[in-house]
Amino acid sequence: MVSLGGFYTLKQHKEFQHIYKKGKSVHSANLVLFFLPKANLRSVGFTATKKIGNAVKRNRAKRRLRALFCEYSDSLKDATYIFVAKIAINEASHKQLQNDFIKVLQKSKSIQETNR
C-alpha cells in the first residue's frame, strides 16, 4: 500500500472510474476536484490528460498537485479525492495554484477549519 500523508493512493482505473461516476466535482481555473465522502476511508489520486502536454508537463502538473495536497492533507476530512490538472496549470504561479486548491477544497466542504 502506497501512502501520501496518511492517504491511500489510487492506482487502478476502476477506482478512478467509480469516483468519477459516484462522486461530486468542483472546478477551478487550474484544476478539478472529484470527491466522494466516506467515513474511515482516506484515499487520493492525481491525473493529467494529454491535453496538458507531453509527459514532462503532465508529471510536473501532478507533482505540483501532490505537493499542495501534502501541505493540506492533515486538515482534510475522510473521503476519496481525485485532483485533475487543467491546461492552465502550466502557466499558473504557485500562489494562483494554491488559491485554486484551497478554493476547491472549501467549495467541496472537505477542509476542516484550522488556524491557517
Side-chain angles (χ1 to χ4, degrees):
M1 180 187 305
V2 179
S3 117
L4 184 64
F7 280 75
Y8 167 74
T9 306
L10 299 175
K11 294 291 182 188
Q12 294 185 351
H13 178 72
K14 66 180 180 180
E15 293 173 321
F16 282 89
Q17 291 303 313
H18 176 73
I19 304 306
Y20 292 145
K21 289 178 185 170
K22 302 286 184 182
K24 296 180 180 177
S25 65
V26 179
H27 298 260
S28 75
N30 297 306
L31 65 122
V32 180
L33 168 63
F34 289 90
F35 66 100
L36 185 62
K38 190 167 184 182
N40 301 323
L41 179 64
R42 295 169 61 92
S43 53
V44 64
F46 301 92
T47 61
T49 65
K50 288 191 176 182
K51 290 179 187 178
I52 302 294
N54 61 16
V56 173
K57 290 180 181 177
R58 292 194 306 268
N59 288 335
R60 181 172 188 264
K62 290 187 285 188
R63 271 196 315 274
R64 292 178 77 189
L65 291 175
R66 273 193 295 271
L68 282 170
F69 179 80
C70 286
E71 189 176 331
Y72 293 98
S73 63
D74 293 340
S75 60
L76 294 178
K77 296 178 182 176
D78 290 353
T80 300
Y81 301 95
I82 298 177
F83 295 92
V84 181
K86 285 188 172 180
I87 296 171
I89 199 169
N90 290 333
E91 286 81 34
S93 69
H94 177 72
K95 191 67 178 167
Q96 290 171 325
L97 187 56
Q98 186 176 29
N99 289 341
D100 276 359
F101 197 84
I102 294 168
K103 184 170 79 172
V104 295
L105 290 175
Q106 288 174 339
K107 277 186 182 177
S108 68
K109 297 181 173 90
S110 298
I111 197 163
Q112 298 169 352
E113 293 304 320
T114 59
N115 298 352
R116 279 198 184 262

